[in-house]
Amino acid sequence: MHPFRQPLTPGQVIDNPSAEKLRQMAKGEEHTTEFSSACYISGARNRSAKKTYVVEDGVKLGVHQQGISLERATELVKEVHRYLADKTVIRLDRQMGMNENHTYHCRVYITEPYARIPAMWIHSLFAPKDKDQEPDFISVYVPEWPERVIFNHPLAGVTYILGTDYFGECKKSFLRKAMYRTKQKGGLGLHAGSKVLRIRDKEDKLKDVGFILFGLSGTGKTTLTIHDHGLTGDERVIIRQDDVVLMDADGFCAGTEDGFYIKTDGLDKSQKVLYDAAVSPNAIFENIKVFEGGKIDFFNQELTSNGRGIVLRSEVAGSDDSIDLPKANKLIFITRRNDIVPPLARLSPVQGAAYFMLGESIETSAGDPTKAGQSKREVGTNPFIVGPEEDEGQRLLDILRNNPDMQCYLLNTGSVGAKEGEAGVKLSIKVSTTLMKEIARDSIEWTVDPDWGYEVPKSVPGLDIQEIMPKGFYSEEEYQEKVEKLRAERRQWLEQFPGLSGEIRQAIEKP
């Protein structure tokens, strides 16, 4: 056993209560909705990224990660154990994943007054085969702790979550550990949704095409992951995961969760798949306004614009009994830009690694209104990376080169043609879903972009693609000025990562 895994000996343990029992224990905090589902209100309304640390013990930190010394972490652990010695804690064991090579036993300990957190988490993962086997990952959660601090020891597989009662900290603590463990095994843990398009190709043969979709908040990742693309008859969409997949060296993507953790802000019947799952009595909500009588208002932002819900995967139309993707044939990097990024670009393996490292979008008014319209970047669109970020880009490049049947794309879900005083032309959901459908059919005609070296569509069945190519919205001088401004931003971002190879850096330069 790793020395950081000190056995927890609380005053009393409530061992693996059922979902029904947990809901009953949390009844005092429940706001029951008109759909008979539970909604809870937390004190913290989002994850505490600035208070999250990696224990500095055998792990090299990335540029955007904060370290906590082993000495300080060990001291905090001892304090927590002393505090819990006369407290009642809930212990809950769940299983992440269904594939035997990517299955992890997860255990959370949390103080009894916060039963609502395990009441939500029990629906995120699967029931374990044996609840008493040694867990792969442990999270010790004390929301009432006077100091807010979250620290993760990746090699021990242990996280302490102190001083916050936000459910997302519980969920992500286990996914973060699983992503790191996957990297140790030669793969990559990816913050991405996954789906299959079962589709007839241009030769009218029915085939399954596996997609994984990356995207920062507000880019439309969940919308595109669950969209049916207008497929009918023997053509269809099969939804696998909406948050995290674990990819091996062959491009197989193991799923992780049994519940989808959705943003509910603005959710209505026009988003039929998510809405239908959200109005089930089995859904569970956090930080959404529920009025007297149970009326739930997904548009009300009095509490937060980050309202959330867990919906059961089995109640999401288009899902099946598998959470795994046999092959990630298509990797879609979703961005939301507003001027010169085309609706779609096809990338070489080294360009794929570069755009994975860029993980770019623009800030929205829903995120940070003071920075709306400014560039926003996160490697792999993944705030849960542990270790040097460039290792992830290099690992992805290795996987892509070893799997020529895997292809990367950049998909813009924002606008094109924006300039001073003009918002540009919005790229609709129909444009994005049609582009993905035609990627699967392999029916797009491509041409090389002379400024970036990637390929852009020349023609797309069902779309007048030339109408929305950004070059047509600017004079040559205006366009080149924007190209060089964006290139300079991208260079500056990549310069942060000292171990990144020259060929990945070069992939953003003019060919």
Side-chain angles (χ1 to χ4, degrees), residues 33-54:
T33 75
E34 60 196 293
F35 311 115
S36 301
S37 53
C39 181
Y40 305 108
I41 309 300
S42 61
R45 303 286 158 83
N46 45 41
R47 284 186 307 101
S48 301
K50 291 179 180 175
K51 300 285 187 181
T52 300
Y53 304 88
V54 178

Side-chain angles (χ1 to χ4, degrees), residues 248-268:
D248 71 12
D250 298 319
F252 170 84
C253 291
T256 51
E257 297 182 289
D258 197 30
F260 289 0
Y261 188 48
I262 64 169
K263 282 196 79 164
T264 56
D265 185 39
L267 182 63
D268 62 18

Side-chain angles (χ1 to χ4, degrees), residues 86-128:
D86 62 352
K87 300 292 185 293
T88 298
V89 304
I90 298 164
R91 172 190 141 187
L92 188 62
D93 293 78
R94 304 303 284 167
Q95 177 180 299
M96 182 187 296
M98 294 174 72
N99 178 275
E100 59 182 10
N101 297 318
H102 301 276
T103 296
Y104 298 104
H105 185 124
C106 304
R107 179 176 296 163
V108 71
Y109 294 98
I110 187 165
T111 44
E112 182 186 17
Y114 294 89
R116 60 177 161 82
I117 292 172
M120 296 178 73
W121 188 61
I122 198 169
H123 295 289
S124 291
L125 301 181
F126 302 89

Side-chain angles (χ1 to χ4, degrees), residues 198-200 204 206-208 231-237:
R198 181 166 293 161
I199 204 156
R200 291 197 173 276
D204 202 37
L206 197 65
K207 63 177 183 180
D208 283 359
L231 297 176
T232 57
D234 56 2
E235 293 189 314
R236 60 172 295 214
V237 160

